[in-house]
Amino acid sequence: SDVALTFVVVNTGAADDTLTGVTSTAFTSAALYRDAADATAAVPSAGSGGTPTPGGSSAPAAPTPMTSGLTVTAGNAQACGLTADQPVWLLSGLISGPTGTATSPAPLFPAATVPITFTFTHAGSVTVPVPVQLRDSENDATLPQLSGTPAE
């Protein structure tokens, strides 16, 4: 499974810093993409990533992840994945939810938390528990609802 990580990072320091990596014990890898369109295109699906299609042609290759990291200027914030034009960290290869194992993954569910480690060039690494939210794209809703009321 692939999951887009949405967050805002704030640099309260006096110097610019770069978010160079995102890791988690719940996923096998993470990659930074330019925007939501690139992240979506990078998720393997039928007819993508250069796979031959009927008629002998090949679909375009999946976008290449950014390797330079995400620079956050001093005294500013950088959002990721909140709007379609922002950079997106895509977490791939679900290993386990809170009760799973590497050989028997458990699904993620709303309000569970996943430990995510953010690594910066100057600030080092910090691990935070990130809550899981599900998007219902048909109704444009987030579960659980941010108001704290139960979802219908």
Side-chain angles (χ1 to χ4, degrees):
S1 294
D2 297 303
V3 176
L5 183 63
T6 58
F7 62 96
V8 176
V9 62
V10 179
N11 181 352
T12 59
D16 295 354
D17 206 348
T18 301
L19 177 57
T20 58
V22 173
T23 58
S24 175
T25 57
F27 292 88
T28 58
S29 64
L32 177 62
Y33 291 92
R34 181 179 51 88
D35 55 26
D38 277 4
T40 300
V43 176
S45 64
S48 68
T51 303
T53 58
S57 64
S58 289
T64 302
M66 297 170 55
T67 57
S68 60
L70 183 68
T71 299
V72 184
T73 57
N76 287 298
Q78 171 67 55
C80 285
L82 298 177
T83 64
D85 62 338
Q86 293 173 343
V88 175
W89 281 93
L90 189 64
L91 304 177
S92 300
L94 176 65
I95 293 173
S96 65
T99 60
T101 66
T103 57
S104 179
L108 296 176
F109 54 88
T113 60
V114 174
I116 304 286
T117 300
F118 298 91
T119 303
F120 297 88
T121 301
H122 301 296
S125 296
V126 60
T127 301
V128 295
V130 175
V132 173
Q133 290 184 320
L134 301 179
R135 292 281 303 154
D136 177 356
S137 58
E138 182 177 323
N139 298 312
D140 196 32
T142 301
L143 302 174
Q145 294 177 346
L146 298 178
S147 67
T149 60
E152 296 181 19

